[in-house]
Amino acid sequence: MIEFEREIGAATYGAKDTLRYTVALQSNCKKFPIYLTVKHFRESKLEMATRWGIVSAGKISHDFVTALSTLSPEEHQVVAVAARDRERAEEFAAIHRIPMAYSSYGDLAKDPDVEVVYVGCIHPYHKSVAQTMLAAGKHVLCEKPLCMNERETRELVAEARERKLFLMEALWSRCLPAYECLKKELELGVIGEVLQVLVSFGVKLNNIDRVWLKELGGGTTLDIGIYCLQLAMLVFGAETPCNIKAVGHLNANGVDESTSVSITYNRGQTATLVTHARVELPNEALVVGTKGTMKLSSPFWSPTNLSTPEKTRDFYLPSASQPFNFMNSAGLRYEAMEVRRCLQQGLLESPKMTLDESIKLASLMDEVRRQIGVVYPQD
């Protein structure tokens, strides 16, 4: 009888469709290498794991896959990656030890071993790529913003629901331990009635094309303002804004390089949100109630601590075998864990970031852009 070694790291890659694996003969415990086809490897090792396909070989995809490597290989495996440049796909596959690399997103969609797809391409392609994956019967975790506007978001959500497939906007903040703790504290009423949310997100993004160019879906509202808005939504729950006031500055390409947004709700509640792509802001979030204040320290979108009137709670992120491109990206593991949990329970959306919330979030961003004067071709 042959028994596989437990760690996936024992595998080494040979030809494109084979894996070299060390196995042990139970009778005398001698180890010797054998070669298995990818098919056999997947059938034996990945049967119970959530099998990921990755769309795009960019920086955020690197961080997501690196974060996955901090989880058990018996629960998460990346089985394929696709990029429009074959060399980039193959390089990404080699770095992350991914068995299959494709030069088109359509080919990845056809891969029968892919169960769920992480969409990490730039904003304007989110809808079309996600639709391609849904049409192929794949579940989808799509980077934020889910789509370019409310209309696209509603169309994509409707398609996922019609096909009875899982879809989630990858707002990883919602899955982080600090945010889970924040929600519990709010439910317990630790700071009394919440009347004010103050959030700032400012980082120097002058030379980042995907933020600076309209054709790439640029602007701070879609790229970083979304984090501020989702936090206000999380804190004030189902409350519908009674008024939104947004001002900002546009760059030469017609997208917002800074915004100041004030959202008022019934019962005297207000959210004050500021974004900037040319200066560093405090990048903290304050949730202020009648009995005190809670603070998500910088970076509030991926915090490792939460301060309450009683104490500060720290949350530690695991280290990874490779460096990350963005701060605290190890926390991306939690959204992957949430996807797996939902799939195992037969859920078609996550209660941590529901599809109705994604639609509402897109609507808020549309209104902010309308007032500031940012219009995309997709509008």
Side-chain angles (χ1 to χ4, degrees), residues 22-38:
T22 303
V23 297
L25 193 63
Q26 282 190 332
S27 58
N28 56 15
C29 292
K30 290 181 180 180
K31 294 183 178 181
F32 57 94
I34 64 170
Y35 290 86
L36 298 174
T37 65
V38 171

Side-chain angles (χ1 to χ4, degrees), residues 122-124 148 202-224 249-259 275-279 374-376:
I122 58 175
H123 308 162
M148 292 295 292
V203 289
K204 294 181 179 180
L205 300 169
N206 308 53
N207 299 318
I208 308 298
D209 285 347
R210 66 174 175 77
V211 180
W212 221 238
L213 300 179
K214 179 176 285 191
E215 59 267 31
L216 300 184
T220 64
T221 297
L222 294 193
D223 197 69
I224 59 180
H249 293 281
L250 307 186
N251 68 8
N253 301 306
V255 297
D256 51 301
E257 62 182 33
S258 68
T259 67
T275 68
H276 218 298
R278 296 180 61 188
V279 299
V374 178
V375 181
Y376 296 112

Side-chain angles (χ1 to χ4, degrees), residues 29-291:
C29 292
K30 290 181 180 180
K31 294 183 178 181
F32 57 94
I34 64 170
Y35 290 86
L36 298 174
T37 65
V38 171
K39 178 177 183 293
H40 289 156
F41 171 75
R42 289 173 177 165
E43 286 178 349
S44 57
K45 191 67 182 177
L46 306 185
E47 186 177 353
M48 301 305 293
T50 299
R51 305 183 306 279
W52 292 90
I54 308 297
V55 164
S56 184
K59 291 182 178 180
I60 189 61
S61 292
H62 165 88
D63 282 11
F64 181 76
V65 174
T66 302
L68 281 178
S69 73
T70 68
L71 299 170
S72 168
E74 295 183 352
E75 295 185 351
H76 297 271
Q77 282 294 323
V78 181
V79 298
V81 61
R84 296 185 174 183
D85 183 325
R86 178 175 289 279
E87 288 187 6
R88 289 193 67 190
E90 291 178 346
E91 180 182 2
F92 191 96
I95 291 172
H96 295 285
R97 306 180 73 178
I98 301 171
M100 298 301 298
Y102 296 106
S103 59
S104 81
Y105 302 153
D107 287 342
L108 183 142
K110 296 174 186 175
D111 189 328
D113 292 315
V114 173
E115 177 185 8
V116 56
V117 176
Y118 171 79
V119 177
C121 55
I122 58 175
H123 308 162
Y125 297 106
H126 285 181
K127 182 191 176 190
S128 61
V129 171
Q131 284 179 318
T132 297
M133 300 305 156
L134 291 171
K138 310 301 184 188
H139 303 294
V140 174
L141 172 66
C142 182
E143 261 307 328
K144 56 79 190 167
L146 188 59
C147 295
M148 292 295 292
N149 53 38
E150 182 184 358
R151 176 185 57 79
E152 285 195 346
T153 302
R154 285 185 178 278
E155 291 172 355
L156 184 61
V157 166
E159 182 161 351
R161 286 172 169 167
E162 182 179 351
R163 295 183 182 278
K164 294 181 171 51
L165 291 168
F166 178 87
L167 174 65
M168 180 181 178
E169 185 172 16
L171 270 163
W172 60 314
S173 306
R174 293 292 186 94
C175 302
L176 293 169
Y179 272 67
E180 290 289 315
C181 184
L182 173 67
K183 287 193 296 183
K184 290 179 181 178
E185 295 294 302
L186 289 172
E187 290 169 0
L188 292 171
V190 171
I191 59 172
E193 183 184 6
V194 177
L195 297 179
Q196 182 73 55
V197 171
L198 298 163
V199 191
S200 68
F201 195 155
V203 289
K204 294 181 179 180
L205 300 169
N206 308 53
N207 299 318
I208 308 298
D209 285 347
R210 66 174 175 77
V211 180
W212 221 238
L213 300 179
K214 179 176 285 191
E215 59 267 31
L216 300 184
T220 64
T221 297
L222 294 193
D223 197 69
I224 59 180
I226 189 171
Y227 286 109
C228 303
L229 288 164
Q230 67 82 27
L231 181 56
M233 286 174 54
L234 178 69
V235 173
F236 293 129
E239 289 288 333
T240 299
C242 55
N243 195 17
I244 300 173
K245 294 292 185 182
V247 295
H249 293 281
L250 307 186
N251 68 8
N253 301 306
V255 297
D256 51 301
E257 62 182 33
S258 68
T259 67
S260 293
V261 180
S262 180
I263 305 175
T264 55
Y265 303 82
N266 294 321
R267 298 186 292 136
Q269 299 169 319
T270 305
T272 304
L273 318 172
V274 181
T275 68
H276 218 298
R278 296 180 61 188
V279 299
E280 296 280 342
L281 294 177
N283 296 330
E284 297 177 338
L286 299 178
V287 181
V288 186
T290 54
K291 295 181 181 179

Side-chain angles (χ1 to χ4, degrees), residues 312-334:
T312 296
R313 293 174 172 81
D314 294 311
F315 307 93
Y316 299 98
L317 296 173
S319 58
S321 58
Q322 298 191 55
F324 291 102
N325 292 301
F326 303 108
M327 189 179 301
N328 294 343
S329 278
L332 292 168
R333 73 201 301 262
Y334 294 105

